Amino acid sequence: MQELHLTTDDMPLFTGLRMTAFGEAVIEIANDPACDEWTFSQKIRHALERESAARSERRMLKLLKASRTPNPAACVEDIHYLDGRTLNRDVIARLAACRWIEQTTNLLILGSSSVGKSYLAQALVNAACRRDYTAAYYRLDDLANQLAVYQRDDPARLRFLETLHSCDVLVLDDFLTTPITSETAAELLNILAARERRGSTVVTSQFDPVDWYKSLHDAVIAESILNRIVSNAELVQLDGPNMRRHLADTSANA
């Protein structure tokens, strides 16, 4: 009986089963003489590993898109450790392992303008999505504007809030750079309260927590917000050169 070799013409069979990467691997193995000495189990394992890797990649990209991170490509591997920059490789590697998310620990990334706070937060979102955690990324001003779009009883508003309440990582970038309204402060408190022991919140800010009161009109709400973020948080204090200027100079000299 003539042996029938798999070819690319057979790909629709695998695609229909949503096993595209598996099918591509199987066809490559069937037509590569170098694989002739492989055992059947080795061939199947190789194809399954290709399919698993492809599914993980698709899942990560889907999570990154859902997170709304402004820079999905930001990653800890591309962080610059320059002289004078207060970034420790061991600390970043530990944060990239995402145990703090597993333990629902918050993260404060503090430092002056342009030291790379937002990039670090975006890189940690990328690391979280690689490990199958859900994330949501908002500048605080943008979050306030988004909430203002909805009517109080709008079902879409409730769905949006549930996303904020339940995601594994919520990033609040540029936290309290400008004052917020009392209504936004109250809504923020509700979000943080709903997230307690459910997920981690990452805050980037130019100001130390003791200065956040200046941007909040209600002392009671301010104290509650501060406690919910800071009492269970790890601090990353960033200092060093202006990263926007450094990257612009690097690009110009490339």
Side-chain angles (χ1 to χ4, degrees), residues 160-174:
F160 176 64
L161 285 174
E162 179 54 29
T163 299
L164 300 179
H165 296 166
S166 62
C167 64
D168 296 314
V169 182
L170 173 62
V171 177
L172 300 175
D173 196 12
D174 281 340

Side-chain angles (χ1 to χ4, degrees), residues 140-161:
L140 186 57
D141 287 350
D142 292 338
L143 177 59
N145 292 335
Q146 182 72 38
L147 289 168
V149 169
Y150 299 115
Q151 298 294 324
R152 274 284 170 184
D153 57 351
D154 188 342
R157 182 178 187 276
L158 298 177
R159 289 193 296 271
F160 176 64
L161 285 174

Side-chain angles (χ1 to χ4, degrees), residues 212-230:
W212 293 351
Y213 292 95
K214 299 174 183 177
S215 298
L216 297 166
H217 305 290
D218 188 309
V220 175
I221 289 180
E223 186 67 31
S224 296
I225 288 174
L226 188 71
N227 284 336
R228 279 178 168 79
I229 294 176
V230 176

Side-chain angles (χ1 to χ4, degrees), residues 21 38 56 65 71 88 98 116 127 154-155 157 163 169 174 190 197 213 217 221 225 233 236 238:
W38 290 13
S56 294
K65 183 177 181 180
N71 185 4
N88 181 289
C98 298
D154 188 342
R157 182 178 187 276
T163 299
V169 182
D174 281 340
N190 290 336
R197 294 180 294 279
Y213 292 95
H217 305 290
I221 289 180
I225 288 174
V236 176
L238 278 184

Side-chain angles (χ1 to χ4, degrees), residues 114-127:
S114 301
V115 295
K117 302 183 300 296
S118 295
Y119 187 90
L120 176 56
Q122 292 156 12
L124 292 176
V125 166
N126 182 293

Side-chain angles (χ1 to χ4, degrees), residues 38-45:
W38 290 13
T39 67
F40 178 77
S41 294
Q42 286 174 322
K43 294 175 181 179
I44 292 298
R45 179 176 294 278

